[in-house]
Amino acid sequence: MSDAAAVEGRKPESRRTEKVGNVVSTKMQKTIVVEVEMRKTHPKYKRVIKLSKKFYAHDEQNSARVGDVVRIRESRPLSKLKRWTLEEVVRRSSLPQSEELAQPVA
């Protein structure tokens, strides 16, 4: 009884899946495109192959930049393609951004 009451009284952990990938596009407002690379064994040849898939994720503050490594979490459908939200930026990109290149050096 005490175990069941403890489990019922506790807030359940989030069962939404998380993925880590690279940001490949930030050209939309509040939306990023994240490419997640997966390694899978081929069913017949037993060789490890790389598969990649792109996910559209909601970025409320437009904080992610191209080349960043980010963690995204599954969410309710936000648009036709967006079903993920940006959880955190794991690692910033060392590439200069286009806004920084456009500004003249004084």
Side-chain angles (χ1 to χ4, degrees), residues 6-104:
V7 171
E8 289 178 25
R10 198 175 347 137
K11 186 177 180 183
E13 293 182 22
S14 177
R15 293 193 181 100
R16 298 179 183 211
T17 57
E18 290 186 344
K19 295 185 183 296
V20 177
N22 293 323
V23 177
V24 292
S25 174
T26 59
K27 293 185 178 184
M28 295 167 275
Q29 295 176 4
K30 297 187 178 184
T31 303
I32 57 174
V33 181
V34 180
E35 186 173 46
V36 176
E37 191 173 274
M38 297 154 277
R39 297 166 60 91
K40 184 180 174 187
T41 306
H42 191 279
K44 181 176 180 181
Y45 300 115
K46 309 302 184 208
R47 299 286 292 217
V48 176
I49 54 176
K50 287 187 219 175
L51 301 169
S52 61
K53 184 163 170 57
K54 291 181 181 177
F55 296 97
Y56 286 72
H58 184 69
D59 181 9
E60 185 64 38
Q61 282 85 29
N62 287 324
S63 59
R65 302 188 305 216
V66 175
D68 290 353
V69 177
V70 296
R71 177 177 291 117
I72 56 176
R73 176 175 287 193
E74 199 174 23
S75 68
R76 65 182 179 84
L78 299 169
S79 70
K80 178 182 172 182
L81 297 173
K82 280 189 349 188
R83 272 97 171 107
W84 299 82
T85 55
L86 176 68
E87 197 64 24
E88 69 168 323
V89 177
V90 177
R91 189 173 64 232
R92 283 278 180 204
S93 171
S94 60
L95 300 171
Q97 296 302 307
S98 60
E99 301 90 41
E100 297 169 5
L101 294 175
Q103 296 174 352

